[in-house]
């Protein structure tokens, strides 16, 4: 049984039973402050088994982000369709995701972190940020996850992932896979072994249309985390979804968590 998923489901039930009800721009939610999600990539991939997950689109999202997306086609070419609702009518999209990683007022944060991992792996400033207050008025969606701090013992790579807001039933499981891809890529290029990821969620919430389905999902018993293989990376910007192969993925039936438009 997956410890990662067991803890995730326990927190989902905690939100349903104890969350503060609040009306938001997307509808009524139940919300809890400052929840965390942790997993070890040496144990397997943090892929939910209590419902079927379509993980390839998430890996496609990471492939788009590292290339600095400017148009919805930058996502759809990798099989990620999530960003269509945020794009302008002409398909252009303005995001700090990925773009700020590569160019934050002239600084390539990704290259800086990789250089430190290779040459000074005990440095305490290996951090990438996507939150740029000076640009918030210009972008189509402010970053939900915005800070990525790396830590190494010279053999392993761990990451602390921070986000201001997390849709617990849809967004957070996808973000766990996104964090996995990011950690695996940096570890590969730095000659390290990807290990622990800890995610901190500022506002962890579940939308009202999902409350009943959440109770169904938490009643299911998780299977083991699936195993995976990962292709050695050529550069920080070379990742494609096919570089992660998921093996032995046993799961329950799918559950729909779509929100009404």
């Amino acid at each position: 049984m997956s410890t990662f998923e067991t803890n995730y489901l326990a927190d989902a039930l905690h939100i349903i039973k104890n969350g503060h009800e609040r009306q938001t721009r997307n509808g009524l939610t139940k919300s809890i402050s400052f929840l965390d999600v942790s997993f070890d990539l040496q144990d397997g991939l943090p892929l939910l088994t209590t419902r079927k997950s379509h993980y390839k689109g998430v890996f496609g999202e990471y492939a788009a982000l590292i290339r600095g997306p400017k148009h919805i086609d930058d996502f759809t070419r990798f099989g990620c369709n999530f960003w269509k609702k945020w794009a302008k009518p002409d398909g252009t999209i303005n995001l700090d995701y990925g773009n700020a990683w590569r160019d934050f007022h002239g600084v390539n944060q990704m290259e800086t972190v990789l250089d430190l991992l290779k040459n000074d792996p005990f440095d305490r400033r290996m951090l990438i940020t996507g939150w740029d207050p000076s640009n918030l008025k210009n972008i189509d969606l402010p970053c939900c996850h915005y800070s990525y701090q790396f830590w190494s013992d010279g053999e392993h790579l761990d990451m602390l992932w921070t986000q201001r807001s997390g849709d617990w039933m849809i967004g957070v499981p996808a973000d766990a896979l996104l964090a996995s891809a990011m950690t695996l890529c940096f570890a590969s290029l730095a000659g390290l072994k990807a290990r622990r990821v800890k995610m901190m969620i500022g506002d962890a919430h579940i939308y009202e249309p999902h409350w009943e389905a959440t109770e169904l999902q938490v009643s299911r018993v998780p299977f083991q985390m699936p195993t995976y293989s990962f292709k050695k990376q050529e550069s920080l910007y070379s990742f494609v979804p096919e570089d992660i192969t998921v093996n032995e993925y046993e799961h329950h039936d799918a559950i729909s968590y779509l929100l009404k438009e």
Side-chain angles (χ1 to χ4, degrees):
M1 183 183 298
S2 167
T3 301
F4 149 74
E5 190 165 5
T6 299
N7 293 338
Y8 164 83
L9 293 174
D11 282 334
L13 188 60
H14 175 53
I15 295 170
I16 290 294
K17 292 188 175 299
N18 303 299
H20 177 258
E21 289 193 17
R22 52 182 65 188
Q23 191 67 41
T24 71
R25 62 185 177 83
N26 290 327
L28 182 66
T29 68
K30 290 185 178 181
S31 174
I32 294 286
S33 64
F34 310 138
L35 290 185
D36 68 275
V37 176
S38 300
F39 53 89
D40 193 323
L41 286 164
Q42 296 183 330
D43 295 335
L45 200 65
L47 186 57
L48 293 184
T49 66
T50 46
R51 65 174 174 87
K52 183 178 181 181
S53 297
H54 300 284
Y55 52 85
K56 291 185 179 179
V58 181
F59 297 150
E61 181 179 18
Y62 184 71
L65 294 181
I66 58 176
R67 289 167 170 85
K70 303 292 191 300
H71 192 279
I72 194 62
D73 291 348
D74 297 331
F75 290 98
T76 57
R77 66 182 283 237
F78 291 112
C80 176
N81 298 311
F82 171 74
W83 285 100
K84 287 183 177 180
K85 61 184 176 182
W86 301 108
K88 299 178 180 66
D90 65 357
T92 58
I93 190 165
N94 190 350
L95 299 171
D96 276 337
Y97 285 121
N99 293 290
W101 305 354
R102 295 181 55 143
D103 182 2
F104 196 101
H105 301 293
V107 177
N108 188 321
Q109 301 181 87
M110 296 178 72
E111 297 283 1
T112 300
V113 166
L114 182 58
D115 181 69
L116 288 169
L117 285 172
K118 289 179 175 179
N119 300 300
D120 190 8
F122 305 147
D123 191 274
R124 295 188 293 267
R125 293 166 292 180
M126 296 187 291
L127 190 147
I128 296 170
T129 183
W131 189 262
D132 183 359
S134 69
N135 198 38
L136 292 180
K137 64 181 181 297
N138 301 318
I139 57 179
D140 294 312
L141 180 68
C143 297
C144 290
H145 48 87
Y146 62 89
S147 177
Y148 323 87
Q149 183 172 354
F150 296 87
W151 183 96
S152 174
D153 59 6
E155 180 182 358
H156 304 93
L157 181 64
D158 300 337
M159 183 172 68
L160 175 64
W161 166 289
T162 310
Q163 64 186 84
R164 62 177 177 82
S165 174
D167 176 345
W168 201 257
M169 304 315 293
I170 299 178
V172 171
D175 292 332
L177 294 175
L178 203 67
S180 299
M182 191 174 194
T183 306
L184 286 164
C185 286
F186 274 88
S188 174
L189 292 162
L192 301 168
K193 298 176 183 176
R195 191 175 58 175
R196 292 192 292 266
V197 175
K198 187 178 185 70
M199 304 169 61
M200 294 298 302
I201 319 296
D203 185 308
H205 53 268
I206 300 176
Y207 287 96
E208 182 181 20
H210 298 166
W211 294 350
E212 184 176 349
T214 298
E215 295 196 8
L216 169 62
Q217 186 171 346
V218 301
S219 72
R220 296 175 172 179
V221 178
F223 297 109
Q224 290 287 349
M225 292 173 68
T227 59
Y228 65 95
S229 58
F230 185 72
K231 181 180 177 181
K232 183 176 177 59
Q233 295 298 287
E234 298 176 1
S235 79
L236 284 167
Y237 320 112
S238 63
F239 175 81
V240 292
E242 294 75 21
D243 289 346
I244 300 179
T245 302
V246 178
N247 307 308
E248 303 171 2
Y249 180 32
E250 188 176 6
H251 55 78
H252 293 266
D253 294 338
I255 297 177
S256 175
Y257 282 112
L258 295 177
L259 287 174
K260 295 180 179 179
E261 293 295 335

